[in-house]
Amino acid sequence: MKHVFVFDPKAFYNQQWKMDNILDSIGQFFRTQENVDFSILYSRYRRNAITLIQDEVDKAKPGDIVRIYAVGGEEILFDCLNGAAHFPNIQLAAVPYGESNDFLKIFGDENIESFRDIPSLVVSDALPTDAIRWDVNYALNSCYIGMNAVISKKVKDMKSKLNKFSFTIFSNLSSSLNFFMTAFDRNMSAREFEISIDDVNYSGHYSLIHVANGPYYAGKITGVKEAVPDDGLLDIALLKSSHPLGTLASMRKYSKGKRPKNCIIVQGKSITVKSKNQIWIQLDNEYIQDTGITLTAVSHAVQMVATKGLSYPIASMAEA
């Protein structure tokens, strides 16, 4: 097996010591092994990891498994996923050093730390895992269309303009203010969408469209808490538009893992969403702007490494 560690240096901004500790841990482990094949790479810009992974795959011996370790936050995991998806000889391990680890939370908060343990990751097995496909892109956890995507994009833009200290002070206030203002903007909170799920029409006015491969978002359980990433299906929540205060209440309830009365839950293999005007679409931590999108569940698109013999919960257990 070939082991490839792909670091996102931006995830360790002003924390070089933390990245150095990880590098030391990698070196110490592999120095005790025989006939090891490993490399350490640095992704310098978005999508850089895709070409880095392809180069490493080309260097691998025929038939070798290539295990990719995405070291950082959700951005590097997204890029590594798009370099690994649909290649049968590539496995992907998330080494979480970002602000949130939505996909890994399905294994429980008490197990997150084990995904930072290099020796444990190296010897662990991989689980066949679904992905959400859009065109040639893949997302691991979720896609948001509507209010959440708009607000998340605004907060992300604000973060890029502020230092970490200032952002920490203003982030919660800014997020709450953006939610309030967006709820009163009917173009954002009550937009008309043409929606088709497995050729069934669900068109209407919605505040939120959530297409899930996992149950967590922004570190919290969502209204599709039964979503599991190995059943070959998308769990889709459609939150019908309401008056502004009702929209705020519904969104708050949904983000706490509950289902508002104006929420439709559907499972399907494919969804197409169209709008007359440009809409913000959030795929994991990637943002695009378009008038429409088609998303498809790709069964077992990637092999995800799980430590300590962990496995995904079955839907009935997740729902409980």
Side-chain angles (χ1 to χ4, degrees), residues 52-102:
L52 295 176
I53 290 169
Q54 187 58 61
D55 289 343
E56 292 299 311
V57 171
D58 292 341
K59 297 175 187 176
K61 299 175 184 177
D64 264 8
I65 297 294
V66 180
R67 179 168 287 188
I68 307 297
Y69 302 81
V71 188
E74 293 188 347
E75 289 187 354
I76 192 63
L77 181 58
F78 181 90
D79 288 353
C80 286
L81 169 69
N82 280 275
H86 258 331
F87 287 94
N89 64 327
I90 300 183
Q91 298 175 352
L92 179 58
V95 189
Y97 283 93
E99 294 177 2
S100 61
N101 309 290
D102 289 336

Short mmCIF file of all heavy atoms in Angstrom, two decimals, residues 52-102:
data_model
loop_
_atom_site.label_atom_id
_atom_site.label_comp_id
_atom_site.label_asym_id
_atom_site.label_seq_id
_atom_site.Cartn_x
_atom_site.Cartn_y
_atom_site.Cartn_z
N LEU A 52 -2.18 16.49 -7.59
CA LEU A 52 -1.17 15.84 -6.76
C LEU A 52 -1.50 14.35 -6.58
O LEU A 52 -0.61 13.49 -6.65
CB LEU A 52 -1.10 16.51 -5.39
CG LEU A 52 -0.62 17.97 -5.35
CD1 LEU A 52 -0.71 18.51 -3.93
CD2 LEU A 52 0.82 18.07 -5.85
N ILE A 53 -2.76 14.07 -6.33
CA ILE A 53 -3.18 12.67 -6.15
C ILE A 53 -2.98 11.88 -7.44
O ILE A 53 -2.50 10.74 -7.41
CB ILE A 53 -4.66 12.62 -5.70
CG1 ILE A 53 -4.78 13.14 -4.27
CG2 ILE A 53 -5.23 11.22 -5.82
CD1 ILE A 53 -6.20 13.38 -3.81
N GLN A 54 -3.35 12.47 -8.57
CA GLN A 54 -3.19 11.76 -9.84
C GLN A 54 -1.73 11.42 -10.11
O GLN A 54 -1.40 10.32 -10.58
CB GLN A 54 -3.74 12.61 -10.99
CG GLN A 54 -3.76 11.89 -12.33
CD GLN A 54 -4.57 10.62 -12.30
OE1 GLN A 54 -5.76 10.64 -12.03
NE2 GLN A 54 -3.92 9.50 -12.57
N ASP A 55 -0.83 12.35 -9.77
CA ASP A 55 0.60 12.09 -9.96
C ASP A 55 1.06 10.92 -9.10
O ASP A 55 1.86 10.07 -9.54
CB ASP A 55 1.43 13.34 -9.61
CG ASP A 55 1.26 14.45 -10.63
OD1 ASP A 55 0.79 14.17 -11.74
OD2 ASP A 55 1.59 15.61 -10.30
N GLU A 56 0.56 10.84 -7.86
CA GLU A 56 0.95 9.76 -6.96
C GLU A 56 0.38 8.42 -7.42
O GLU A 56 1.04 7.39 -7.31
CB GLU A 56 0.49 10.06 -5.54
CG GLU A 56 1.21 11.22 -4.89
CD GLU A 56 2.71 10.97 -4.76
OE1 GLU A 56 3.10 9.89 -4.29
OE2 GLU A 56 3.49 11.86 -5.16
N VAL A 57 -0.83 8.44 -7.94
CA VAL A 57 -1.43 7.21 -8.47
C VAL A 57 -0.62 6.71 -9.66
O VAL A 57 -0.40 5.50 -9.80
CB VAL A 57 -2.90 7.46 -8.87
CG1 VAL A 57 -3.47 6.26 -9.62
CG2 VAL A 57 -3.74 7.75 -7.64
N ASP A 58 -0.17 7.62 -10.51
CA ASP A 58 0.63 7.23 -11.67
C ASP A 58 1.95 6.59 -11.26
O ASP A 58 2.49 5.75 -11.98
CB ASP A 58 0.89 8.45 -12.57
CG ASP A 58 -0.38 8.97 -13.24
OD1 ASP A 58 -1.36 8.21 -13.31
OD2 ASP A 58 -0.38 10.13 -13.68
N LYS A 59 2.48 7.00 -10.10
CA LYS A 59 3.76 6.46 -9.63
C LYS A 59 3.61 5.12 -8.91
O LYS A 59 4.60 4.42 -8.69
CB LYS A 59 4.42 7.46 -8.67
CG LYS A 59 4.81 8.79 -9.28
CD LYS A 59 5.33 9.72 -8.20
CE LYS A 59 5.56 11.13 -8.72
NZ LYS A 59 5.98 12.05 -7.61
N ALA A 60 2.39 4.80 -8.50
CA ALA A 60 2.17 3.58 -7.71
C ALA A 60 2.42 2.33 -8.56
O ALA A 60 2.28 2.34 -9.79
CB ALA A 60 0.75 3.57 -7.16
N LYS A 61 2.79 1.26 -7.89
CA LYS A 61 2.99 -0.01 -8.57
C LYS A 61 1.63 -0.56 -9.03
O LYS A 61 0.62 -0.35 -8.38
CB LYS A 61 3.66 -1.00 -7.62
CG LYS A 61 5.03 -0.57 -7.13
CD LYS A 61 5.56 -1.55 -6.10
CE LYS A 61 6.90 -1.07 -5.53
NZ LYS A 61 7.40 -1.98 -4.47
N PRO A 62 1.61 -1.27 -10.14
CA PRO A 62 0.34 -1.84 -10.63
C PRO A 62 -0.32 -2.70 -9.55
O PRO A 62 0.32 -3.54 -8.94
CB PRO A 62 0.78 -2.68 -11.83
CG PRO A 62 2.06 -2.05 -12.30
CD PRO A 62 2.74 -1.56 -11.06
N GLY A 63 -1.60 -2.43 -9.31
CA GLY A 63 -2.35 -3.21 -8.32
C GLY A 63 -2.25 -2.69 -6.91
O GLY A 63 -2.96 -3.17 -6.02
N ASP A 64 -1.36 -1.74 -6.66
CA ASP A 64 -1.21 -1.19 -5.31
C ASP A 64 -2.42 -0.35 -4.91
O ASP A 64 -3.01 0.37 -5.73
CB ASP A 64 0.03 -0.29 -5.23
CG ASP A 64 1.24 -1.04 -4.69
OD1 ASP A 64 1.14 -2.26 -4.52
OD2 ASP A 64 2.27 -0.38 -4.44
N ILE A 65 -2.78 -0.44 -3.63
CA ILE A 65 -3.79 0.46 -3.06
C ILE A 65 -3.08 1.76 -2.67
O ILE A 65 -2.01 1.74 -2.07
CB ILE A 65 -4.44 -0.15 -1.81
CG1 ILE A 65 -5.20 -1.44 -2.18
CG2 ILE A 65 -5.37 0.85 -1.14
CD1 ILE A 65 -6.39 -1.21 -3.08
N VAL A 66 -3.68 2.88 -3.05
CA VAL A 66 -3.15 4.20 -2.67
C VAL A 66 -4.11 4.79 -1.63
O VAL A 66 -5.29 4.99 -1.91
CB VAL A 66 -3.04 5.13 -3.88
CG1 VAL A 66 -2.49 6.50 -3.45
CG2 VAL A 66 -2.16 4.51 -4.96
N ARG A 67 -3.60 5.02 -0.43
CA ARG A 67 -4.42 5.60 0.64
C ARG A 67 -4.06 7.08 0.78
O ARG A 67 -2.92 7.43 1.09
CB ARG A 67 -4.22 4.86 1.95
CG ARG A 67 -5.04 5.44 3.10
CD ARG A 67 -5.06 4.53 4.32
NE ARG A 67 -5.89 3.34 4.09
CZ ARG A 67 -6.21 2.45 5.04
NH1 ARG A 67 -5.75 2.61 6.27
NH2 ARG A 67 -6.96 1.42 4.76
N ILE A 68 -5.06 7.93 0.55
CA ILE A 68 -4.88 9.38 0.62
C ILE A 68 -5.34 9.88 1.98
O ILE A 68 -6.45 9.55 2.43
CB ILE A 68 -5.68 10.10 -0.49
CG1 ILE A 68 -5.37 9.51 -1.87
CG2 ILE A 68 -5.42 11.60 -0.45
CD1 ILE A 68 -3.94 9.68 -2.31
N TYR A 69 -4.52 10.67 2.65
CA TYR A 69 -4.87 11.26 3.95
C TYR A 69 -5.06 12.76 3.74
O TYR A 69 -4.10 13.47 3.45
CB TYR A 69 -3.76 11.01 4.97
CG TYR A 69 -3.45 9.54 5.19
CD1 TYR A 69 -2.64 8.84 4.30
CD2 TYR A 69 -3.96 8.85 6.29
CE1 TYR A 69 -2.34 7.49 4.48
CE2 TYR A 69 -3.67 7.50 6.49
CZ TYR A 69 -2.87 6.82 5.58
OH TYR A 69 -2.58 5.49 5.77
N ALA A 70 -6.31 13.23 3.87
CA ALA A 70 -6.61 14.65 3.72
C ALA A 70 -6.44 15.32 5.07
O ALA A 70 -7.28 15.17 5.97
CB ALA A 70 -8.04 14.84 3.21
N VAL A 71 -5.33 16.05 5.24
CA VAL A 71 -4.97 16.61 6.54
C VAL A 71 -5.34 18.10 6.55
O VAL A 71 -4.70 18.92 5.91
CB VAL A 71 -3.47 16.43 6.84
CG1 VAL A 71 -3.16 16.86 8.28
CG2 VAL A 71 -3.03 14.99 6.60
N GLY A 72 -6.39 18.43 7.30
CA GLY A 72 -6.84 19.81 7.36
C GLY A 72 -8.33 19.86 7.58
O GLY A 72 -8.89 19.04 8.32
N GLY A 73 -8.98 20.82 6.91
CA GLY A 73 -10.41 21.01 7.09
C GLY A 73 -11.23 20.44 5.94
O GLY A 73 -10.77 19.59 5.17
N GLU A 74 -12.45 20.94 5.82
CA GLU A 74 -13.37 20.39 4.83
C GLU A 74 -12.97 20.74 3.40
O GLU A 74 -13.34 20.03 2.46
CB GLU A 74 -14.78 20.88 5.13
CG GLU A 74 -15.33 20.30 6.44
CD GLU A 74 -16.79 20.63 6.66
OE1 GLU A 74 -17.32 21.50 5.94
OE2 GLU A 74 -17.39 20.00 7.55
N GLU A 75 -12.21 21.82 3.21
CA GLU A 75 -11.79 22.18 1.86
C GLU A 75 -10.83 21.14 1.28
O GLU A 75 -10.99 20.71 0.13
CB GLU A 75 -11.15 23.57 1.85
CG GLU A 75 -12.15 24.70 2.07
CD GLU A 75 -11.52 26.06 1.88
OE1 GLU A 75 -10.27 26.13 1.69
OE2 GLU A 75 -12.25 27.06 1.92
N ILE A 76 -9.85 20.72 2.05
CA ILE A 76 -8.90 19.73 1.54
C ILE A 76 -9.58 18.37 1.39
O ILE A 76 -9.26 17.59 0.49
CB ILE A 76 -7.64 19.64 2.43
CG1 ILE A 76 -6.54 18.83 1.73
CG2 ILE A 76 -7.96 19.04 3.79
CD1 ILE A 76 -6.03 19.45 0.46
N LEU A 77 -10.53 18.06 2.27
CA LEU A 77 -11.26 16.80 2.15
C LEU A 77 -12.09 16.80 0.86
O LEU A 77 -12.14 15.77 0.15
CB LEU A 77 -12.17 16.60 3.36
CG LEU A 77 -12.99 15.30 3.38
CD1 LEU A 77 -12.08 14.08 3.31
CD2 LEU A 77 -13.87 15.23 4.63
N PHE A 78 -12.71 17.92 0.53
CA PHE A 78 -13.48 18.03 -0.71
C PHE A 78 -12.57 17.81 -1.92
O PHE A 78 -12.91 17.05 -2.84
CB PHE A 78 -14.13 19.42 -0.79
CG PHE A 78 -14.98 19.63 -2.02
CD1 PHE A 78 -16.33 19.31 -2.01
CD2 PHE A 78 -14.42 20.16 -3.17
CE1 PHE A 78 -17.11 19.51 -3.15
CE2 PHE A 78 -15.19 20.36 -4.31
CZ PHE A 78 -16.55 20.04 -4.31
N ASP A 79 -11.42 18.46 -1.92
CA ASP A 79 -10.51 18.31 -3.05
C ASP A 79 -9.98 16.89 -3.18
O ASP A 79 -9.89 16.34 -4.29
CB ASP A 79 -9.33 19.29 -2.91
CG ASP A 79 -9.75 20.74 -3.16
OD1 ASP A 79 -10.90 20.96 -3.58
OD2 ASP A 79 -8.93 21.64 -2.94
N CYS A 80 -9.62 16.28 -2.05
CA CYS A 80 -9.10 14.91 -2.09
C CYS A 80 -10.19 13.93 -2.52
O CYS A 80 -9.91 12.96 -3.24
CB CYS A 80 -8.54 14.52 -0.72
SG CYS A 80 -6.95 15.30 -0.34
N LEU A 81 -11.40 14.17 -2.08
CA LEU A 81 -12.51 13.33 -2.54
C LEU A 81 -12.63 13.37 -4.05
O LEU A 81 -12.81 12.34 -4.71
CB LEU A 81 -13.83 13.80 -1.90
CG LEU A 81 -15.10 13.19 -2.48
CD1 LEU A 81 -15.21 11.72 -2.12
CD2 LEU A 81 -16.33 13.95 -2.02
N ASN A 82 -12.51 14.55 -4.61
CA ASN A 82 -12.65 14.69 -6.06
C ASN A 82 -11.45 14.14 -6.82
O ASN A 82 -11.54 13.92 -8.03
CB ASN A 82 -12.91 16.15 -6.43
CG ASN A 82 -14.36 16.54 -6.21
OD1 ASN A 82 -15.20 16.34 -7.06
ND2 ASN A 82 -14.67 17.09 -5.04
N GLY A 83 -10.36 13.89 -6.11
CA GLY A 83 -9.23 13.20 -6.73
C GLY A 83 -9.31 11.70 -6.57
O GLY A 83 -8.67 10.96 -7.33
N ALA A 84 -10.11 11.25 -5.60
CA ALA A 84 -10.15 9.82 -5.28
C ALA A 84 -11.40 9.10 -5.75
O ALA A 84 -11.39 7.89 -5.96
CB ALA A 84 -10.02 9.64 -3.77
N ALA A 85 -12.51 9.84 -5.91
CA ALA A 85 -13.80 9.20 -6.20
C ALA A 85 -13.76 8.38 -7.47
O ALA A 85 -13.19 8.78 -8.48
CB ALA A 85 -14.89 10.27 -6.29
N HIS A 86 -14.37 7.22 -7.38
CA HIS A 86 -14.56 6.31 -8.50
C HIS A 86 -13.29 5.60 -8.97
O HIS A 86 -13.29 4.98 -10.03
CB HIS A 86 -15.24 7.00 -9.67
CG HIS A 86 -16.69 6.66 -9.77
ND1 HIS A 86 -17.22 5.47 -9.33
CD2 HIS A 86 -17.75 7.34 -10.25
CE1 HIS A 86 -18.52 5.43 -9.54
NE2 HIS A 86 -18.88 6.57 -10.08
N PHE A 87 -12.20 5.71 -8.21
CA PHE A 87 -11.01 4.92 -8.51
C PHE A 87 -10.97 3.75 -7.53
O PHE A 87 -10.84 3.96 -6.32
CB PHE A 87 -9.74 5.76 -8.39
CG PHE A 87 -9.56 6.75 -9.51
CD1 PHE A 87 -10.00 8.06 -9.38
CD2 PHE A 87 -8.95 6.36 -10.69
CE1 PHE A 87 -9.83 8.96 -10.41
CE2 PHE A 87 -8.78 7.26 -11.73
CZ PHE A 87 -9.22 8.57 -11.59
N PRO A 88 -11.09 2.53 -8.00
CA PRO A 88 -11.21 1.38 -7.08
C PRO A 88 -9.97 1.12 -6.23
O PRO A 88 -10.07 0.47 -5.20
CB PRO A 88 -11.47 0.21 -8.04
CG PRO A 88 -10.92 0.65 -9.36
CD PRO A 88 -11.14 2.13 -9.41
N ASN A 89 -8.82 1.63 -6.66
CA ASN A 89 -7.58 1.36 -5.90
C ASN A 89 -7.17 2.52 -5.00
O ASN A 89 -6.04 2.56 -4.51
CB ASN A 89 -6.44 1.04 -6.87
CG ASN A 89 -6.09 2.21 -7.77
OD1 ASN A 89 -6.96 2.99 -8.13
ND2 ASN A 89 -4.83 2.33 -8.12
N ILE A 90 -8.08 3.50 -4.78
CA ILE A 90 -7.77 4.64 -3.91
C ILE A 90 -8.68 4.60 -2.70
O ILE A 90 -9.89 4.41 -2.81
CB ILE A 90 -7.94 5.98 -4.64
CG1 ILE A 90 -7.01 6.06 -5.85
CG2 ILE A 90 -7.65 7.14 -3.70
CD1 ILE A 90 -7.07 7.39 -6.59
N GLN A 91 -8.10 4.80 -1.53
CA GLN A 91 -8.85 4.96 -0.29
C GLN A 91 -8.61 6.37 0.26
O GLN A 91 -7.57 6.97 -0.03
CB GLN A 91 -8.42 3.91 0.74
CG GLN A 91 -8.67 2.48 0.29
CD GLN A 91 -8.14 1.45 1.28
OE1 GLN A 91 -7.45 1.79 2.25
NE2 GLN A 91 -8.45 0.19 1.04
N LEU A 92 -9.55 6.87 1.02
CA LEU A 92 -9.47 8.24 1.52
C LEU A 92 -9.67 8.27 3.02
O LEU A 92 -10.63 7.70 3.54
CB LEU A 92 -10.53 9.11 0.83
CG LEU A 92 -10.61 10.58 1.24
CD1 LEU A 92 -9.28 11.30 1.01
CD2 LEU A 92 -11.74 11.28 0.48
N ALA A 93 -8.75 8.94 3.71
CA ALA A 93 -8.86 9.12 5.16
C ALA A 93 -8.94 10.61 5.48
O ALA A 93 -8.13 11.40 4.98
CB ALA A 93 -7.65 8.50 5.86
N ALA A 94 -9.91 10.97 6.29
CA ALA A 94 -10.03 12.36 6.74
C ALA A 94 -9.28 12.52 8.05
O ALA A 94 -9.53 11.80 9.02
CB ALA A 94 -11.50 12.73 6.94
N VAL A 95 -8.31 13.45 8.07
CA VAL A 95 -7.55 13.75 9.28
C VAL A 95 -7.98 15.14 9.71
O VAL A 95 -7.48 16.15 9.20
CB VAL A 95 -6.03 13.69 9.02
CG1 VAL A 95 -5.26 13.79 10.34
CG2 VAL A 95 -5.66 12.40 8.29
N PRO A 96 -8.94 15.24 10.63
CA PRO A 96 -9.68 16.48 10.85
C PRO A 96 -8.94 17.53 11.68
O PRO A 96 -8.75 17.38 12.89
CB PRO A 96 -10.94 16.00 11.59
CG PRO A 96 -10.48 14.79 12.34
CD PRO A 96 -9.43 14.14 11.48
N TYR A 97 -8.58 18.62 11.02
CA TYR A 97 -7.99 19.77 11.70
C TYR A 97 -8.68 21.06 11.26
O TYR A 97 -8.08 22.13 11.28
CB TYR A 97 -6.49 19.83 11.44
CG TYR A 97 -5.72 18.83 12.28
CD1 TYR A 97 -5.44 17.56 11.77
CD2 TYR A 97 -5.33 19.12 13.58
CE1 TYR A 97 -4.76 16.62 12.53
CE2 TYR A 97 -4.66 18.18 14.35
CZ TYR A 97 -4.37 16.94 13.81
OH TYR A 97 -3.71 16.01 14.59
N GLY A 98 -9.93 20.96 10.86
CA GLY A 98 -10.70 22.13 10.47
C GLY A 98 -11.62 22.59 11.59
O GLY A 98 -11.61 22.03 12.69
N GLU A 99 -12.44 23.60 11.29
CA GLU A 99 -13.35 24.14 12.30
C GLU A 99 -14.52 23.21 12.57
O GLU A 99 -15.06 23.18 13.67
CB GLU A 99 -13.86 25.51 11.83
CG GLU A 99 -12.76 26.56 11.76
CD GLU A 99 -13.28 27.88 11.23
OE1 GLU A 99 -14.50 27.97 10.96
OE2 GLU A 99 -12.48 28.81 11.10
N SER A 100 -14.93 22.44 11.56
CA SER A 100 -16.00 21.47 11.74
C SER A 100 -15.67 20.22 10.95
O SER A 100 -14.96 20.27 9.95
CB SER A 100 -17.35 22.05 11.29
OG SER A 100 -17.31 22.37 9.91
N ASN A 101 -16.18 19.10 11.44
CA ASN A 101 -15.91 17.81 10.81
C ASN A 101 -17.24 17.08 10.64
O ASN A 101 -17.49 16.05 11.25
CB ASN A 101 -14.95 16.99 11.68
CG ASN A 101 -13.71 17.78 12.08
OD1 ASN A 101 -12.87 18.08 11.25
ND2 ASN A 101 -13.63 18.16 13.34
N ASP A 102 -18.08 17.67 9.80
CA ASP A 102 -19.46 17.20 9.71
C ASP A 102 -19.57 15.73 9.33
O ASP A 102 -20.38 15.00 9.89
CB ASP A 102 -20.23 18.06 8.70
CG ASP A 102 -20.49 19.46 9.21
OD1 ASP A 102 -20.52 19.64 10.44
OD2 ASP A 102 -20.65 20.38 8.39
#
